[in-house]
Amino acid sequence: MSDAYIALADGRVLEARARAPGRTRGELVFTTAYTGYEESLTDPSYAEQILTFSYPLIGNYGVRSERFESDSVQPRAAIARELTDDVADWLAEEGVPAVDHVDTREIVTTVREEGAMACGIAAGPDATPEDAVAEMEACEPMSDHVDIGAQVSVAEPTVHEGGGDVDVAMLDCGAKGSIISSLTERGADVHVLPYDATAEDVAAVDPDVLFVSNGPGDPENFVAAQAVVDEFAGDLPMAGICLGQQVITSALGGSTEKMAFGHRGVNQPVKDLRTDKVVMTTQNHGYTVDDTGPLEVTQVNVNDDTVEGLDSEELEVITRQYHPEANPGPHDSLGFFDEVLDLATSSRRVAAD
Ligand SMILES: NC(=O)CC[C@H](N)C(=O)O
């Protein structure tokens, strides 16, 4: 007898083993990353999603809080072929349902063929297939989570000192901790502001650059962040990662669209169109920029040609769809943070001349 059920939007109910009990629902997605489960499970970009690991064994090197990207577990639930006790116990403590002993290849091929979909999970001694179906039926599309930023952003402005003389104003739409530390390690002071900060809040920190972070859900719902970008366009250098690229592009007149199942993993090849160099990148996104507005495409995904990097010399904008901070993943693109800080300081020099 199974003690866990996974209900998919296409009507199937899969049997599994409960590793952390509970009932929940979310958008079913998968990551192909073979390491970095501590980072992925604490990445705020996964809020309101159910994360399936395609790699079959998750948890084989334990759970260490130094690796966490935020203070809590972010996906609504986790699914793997095999979860170790370390991970299962951690998720149980955090109240996040987790299941294993399920054919994750079937889940991955379903999502690849039919797209990211509504999913319900019921796990624990009393769980029934009907409970999982009821959860799945109550699942809202990602774009209906209009205030998802409130779930993942800081409540109050917070400063992370890097000791240098560059001030970054970061709109925290669900920032991973290592995006902040990638900037402080390079000497920047990072003023982390709530996702709904106003232009006045940003002006109050007198930044050299505006940075829009990664984050969960539909970028079109981050209307306050888009308004801030619109306000400072052309007057302040700007940079963004993932949701940040999407928000900046939309605010400047471009647009985004939902992908079928997105990119989630640590080996997505990205080509720089100026150098022809390909690097491996970490990704976690379900939306993509389809109209770049005034921005120029500088980098593309080698697998499907989607936009990976955007730039505008005139507007002093530089963005990435992937995650240069890695964690998990390859460090090939860490230089992005140097480019951001160069943009901030060179613009200040021009202003002073
Ligand atoms: N990592 C992110 O910032 C994700 C951005 C956005 N929520 C998407 O899925 O496309």
Side-chain angles (χ1 to χ4, degrees):
M1 262 282 288
S2 293
D3 62 355
Y5 300 92
I6 305 168
L8 308 183
D10 66 4
R12 258 178 295 169
V13 178
L14 310 178
E15 295 189 358
R17 175 175 73 159
R19 299 292 274 133
R23 276 152 220 212
T24 196
R25 54 184 175 265
E27 181 184 57
L28 181 64
V29 297
F30 67 86
T31 177
T32 57
Y34 27 82
T35 62
Y37 50 86
E38 298 146 299
E39 294 90 330
S40 296
L41 286 167
T42 52
D43 176 349
S45 305
Y46 282 115
E48 299 296 342
Q49 292 176 322
I50 292 179
L51 180 57
T52 306
F53 292 92
S54 72
Y55 189 74
L57 174 62
I58 294 299
N60 54 326
Y61 50 87
V63 174
R64 299 153 301 161
S65 57
E66 308 91 82
R67 304 297 306 171
F68 292 176
E69 287 291 329
S70 71
D71 292 341
S72 53
V73 175
Q74 300 287 351
R76 303 287 301 243
I79 301 174
R81 177 73 191 95
E82 187 82 41
L83 288 165
T84 65
D85 289 345
D86 283 335
V87 173
D89 294 348
W90 170 43
L91 295 174
E93 265 166 42
E94 294 281 326
V96 175
V99 302
D100 68 2
H101 283 197
V102 59
D103 184 358
T104 45
R105 295 166 302 184
E106 182 180 352
I107 295 176
V108 170
T109 48
T110 299
V111 171
R112 281 187 62 119
E113 280 159 23
E114 300 174 33
M117 62 175 68
C119 176
I121 285 190
D126 308 322
T128 65
E130 292 74 26
D131 295 335
V133 171
E135 289 288 343
M136 182 275 291
E137 284 173 348
C139 184
E140 297 173 333
M142 281 312 273
S143 55
D144 283 10
H145 293 285
V146 288
D147 208 21
I148 199 166
Q151 290 170 228
V152 288
S153 182
V154 287
E156 297 295 329
T158 320
V159 186
H160 298 255
E161 308 259 351
D165 65 352
V166 177
D167 288 287
V168 178
M170 180 179 290
L171 293 179
D172 175 15
C173 303
K176 286 174 67 184
S178 57
I179 293 183
I180 298 169
S181 58
S182 296
L183 291 163
T184 54
E185 277 160 17
R186 288 168 172 74
D189 287 343
V190 182
H191 305 259
V192 179
L193 302 171
Y195 76 109
D196 58 352
T198 62
E200 291 71 45
D201 298 331
V202 172
V205 305
D206 191 19
D208 299 298
V209 59
L210 174 68
F211 197 107
V212 187
S213 81
N214 65 296
D218 185 342
E220 303 305 336
N221 285 331
F222 285 78
V223 286
Q226 290 196 17
V228 168
V229 170
D230 185 42
E231 181 71 26
F232 288 103
D235 296 330
L236 186 62
M238 288 181 195
I241 289 178
C242 209
L243 183 103
Q245 164 161 300
Q246 300 161 351
V247 163
I248 289 173
T249 307
S250 283
L252 296 177
S255 61
T256 58
E257 66 178 359
K258 192 154 166 68
M259 304 165 87
F261 57 92
H263 298 154
R264 294 175 186 83
V266 294
N267 61 352
Q268 287 278 334
V270 167
K271 181 171 171 177
D272 189 302
L273 299 174
R274 296 160 300 190
T275 60
D276 269 356
K277 202 173 147 198
V278 173
V279 294
M280 284 298 161
T281 68
T282 296
Q283 304 210 5
N284 165 18
H285 65 108
Y287 293 82
T288 187
V289 168
D290 64 339
D291 174 352
T292 66
L295 303 174
E296 186 196 335
V297 180
T298 56
Q299 300 187 335
V300 294
N301 190 298
V302 175
N303 292 334
D304 63 7
D305 250 1
T306 49
V307 175
E308 295 289 1
L310 289 166
D311 196 356
S312 166
E313 241 175 83
E314 194 194 328
L315 296 171
E316 297 185 295
V317 171
I318 173 174
T319 66
R320 297 289 181 261
Q321 185 58 58
Y322 54 91
H323 283 265
E325 78 285 0
N327 289 317
H331 292 178
D332 303 26
S333 46
L334 277 173
F336 171 72
F337 295 98
D338 299 314
E339 287 185 61
V340 171
L341 297 182
D342 281 353
L343 184 69
T345 47
S346 62
S347 137
R348 197 164 50 184
R349 277 199 300 276
V350 171
D353 285 345

